[in-house]
């Protein structure tokens, strides 16, 4: 009865939309997000070379492990703790916890480049978190959601979850295969085939992204009208993730570019992935679906605000360190003293290592 009362009543007090119209709106968002994931995942796969992956695994094992612990260890636990502390209603709690369980977002690659971070490590972590999501996200759902919030009526649909994972992983595999094949490296005019595919996939992904959020704001703008106990955790979600990632990377003494890469990879989540899971899981109940999507939409807005000052602060610090006079004693030169010079840091990406970063990252909120 308590759960039933939570969901009784109209979802929009000022709207004349019928339930059928709301379900139609949700279906459109589901299709758009599915296309968004498909194009973005394919474009991400096209940027990954096996040589780059092997190099990072060989030289940056600590970075990959710390990134994995931050992404799938701390973030889900943090989201679960916040949801329990603020006693969110079940659907909102599920949406928030899923945001913590999501793999890293692709914009972290571009941000890492802006702040003079280890781009090779960032791209490899993005690809690795995408593939690890195929077993880590179901595990996190089982531990943090099914154990606390699932009932006979409220439950994440595992079929929808694995469909979403397939939409993410399979196009990424196709992109990686194309990038590392002889056909994919054939020159077609100005660019090789893989780069054309990356650019086209990125452009379509960006178009789908814009369509998703414009449509969501037009049809479901009332999700912005939330209390402080929703907005405050949403505003702190990314900064806390970045801070924890940076702190753990510092504990294992990664160099400064790698710390920035781990920090941004931890704080930037793939919210489109979460939107797709929730839209598919609750496609037959538009009221619950709308409640579950509150946090993914609000966190996407907060992403825009937080990314500006976080990247600005990191870039300012990186430029300050680079402008500092070099140490005269070789014994005083630690990782931090030379980390911001890609020519001196063997773990930083070489100029020819990544010919292009995902174009969609320049406009993506995910």
């Amino acid at each position: 009865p308590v759960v039933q009362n939570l969901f009784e009543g109209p979802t929009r007090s000022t709207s004349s939309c019928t339930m059928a119209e709301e379900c139609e709106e949700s279906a459109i968002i589901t299709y758009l997000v599915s296309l968004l994931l498909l194009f973005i995942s394919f474009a991400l796969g096209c940027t990954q070379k096996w040589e780059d992956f092997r190099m990072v695994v060989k030289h940056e094992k600590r970075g990959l492990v710390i990134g994995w612990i931050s992404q799938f260890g701390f973030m889900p636990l943090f989201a679960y703790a916040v949801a329990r502390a603020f006693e969110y209603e079940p659907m909102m709690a599920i949406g928030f916890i899923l945001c913590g369980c999501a793999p890293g977002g692709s914009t972290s690659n571009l941000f890492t480049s802006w702040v003079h971070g280890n781009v090779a490590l960032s791209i490899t972590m993005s690809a690795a978190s995408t593939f690890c999501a195929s077993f880590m996200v179901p595990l996190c759902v089982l531990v943090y959601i099914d154990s606390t919030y699932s009932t006979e009526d409220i439950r994440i649909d595992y079929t929808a979850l694995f469909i979403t994972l397939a939409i993410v992983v399979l196009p990424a595999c196709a992109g990686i295969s194309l990038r590392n094949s002889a056909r994919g490296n054939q020159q077609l005019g100005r660019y090789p085939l893989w780069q054309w595919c990356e650019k086209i996939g990125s452009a379509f992904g960006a178009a789908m992204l814009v369509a998703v959020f414009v449509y969501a704001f037009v049809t479901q703008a009332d999700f912005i009208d939330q209390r402080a106990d929703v907005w405050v955790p949403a505003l702190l979600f990314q900064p806390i993730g970045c801070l924890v990632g940076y702190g753990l990377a510092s504990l294992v003494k990664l160099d400064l570019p790698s710390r920035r890469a781990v920090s941004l990879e931890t704080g930037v989540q793939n919210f489109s992935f979460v939107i797709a899971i929730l839209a598919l899981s609750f496609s037959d109940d538009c009221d619950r679906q709308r409640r579950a999507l509150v946090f993914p939409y609000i966190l996407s807005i907060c992403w825009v605000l937080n990314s500006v000052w976080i990247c600005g602060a990191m870039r300012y610090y990186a430029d300050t360190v680079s402008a500092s006079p070099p140490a005269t004693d070789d014994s005083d030169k630690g990782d931090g003293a030379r980390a911001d010079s890609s020519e001196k840091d063997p773990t930083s990406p070489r100029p020819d290592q990544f010919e292009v970063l995902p174009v969609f990252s320049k406009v993506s909120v995910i």
Side-chain angles (χ1 to χ4, degrees), residues 187-192 195-196:
Q187 199 72 17
L188 294 178
R190 186 177 180 181
Y191 304 108
Q195 196 164 345
W196 281 112

Side-chain angles (χ1 to χ4, degrees), residues 171-317:
C173 291
I176 292 174
S177 298
L178 179 67
R179 179 69 174 90
N180 293 274
S181 67
R183 182 178 179 82
N185 285 274
Q186 289 180 350
Q187 199 72 17
L188 294 178
R190 186 177 180 181
Y191 304 108
L193 176 60
W194 73 265
Q195 196 164 345
W196 281 112
C197 291
E198 186 273 331
K199 289 178 178 292
I200 294 172
S202 298
F204 275 102
M208 292 300 103
L209 176 71
V210 173
V212 167
F213 283 97
V214 168
Y215 190 81
F217 273 101
V218 170
T219 61
Q220 305 185 40
D222 55 337
F223 73 85
I224 298 178
D225 185 20
Q226 299 294 330
R227 304 183 306 272
D229 62 349
V230 173
W231 276 101
V232 171
L235 283 168
L236 295 176
F237 185 82
Q238 182 181 352
I240 289 176
C242 289
L243 182 62
V244 169
Y246 194 94
L248 291 177
S250 300
L251 285 178
V252 298
K253 299 181 179 180
L254 295 182
D255 56 42
L256 292 182
S258 296
R259 294 178 195 179
R260 298 184 198 115
V262 172
S263 173
L264 291 169
E265 189 67 25
T266 303
V268 179
Q269 307 293 93
N270 192 337
F271 297 129
S272 61
F273 175 81
V274 177
I275 293 172
I277 293 176
L278 295 173
L280 291 171
S281 293
F282 301 103
S283 59
D284 59 343
D285 193 326
C286 300
D287 182 26
R288 291 179 179 176
Q289 185 189 85
R290 285 169 55 79
R291 293 175 182 269
L293 290 173
V294 165
F295 267 113
Y297 286 147
I298 290 180
L299 284 168
S300 297
I301 297 174
C302 295
W303 173 92
V304 178
L305 304 175
N306 285 320
S307 296
V308 173
W309 72 264
I310 289 175
C311 290
M314 285 190 178
R315 178 61 182 263
Y316 176 80
Y317 179 74

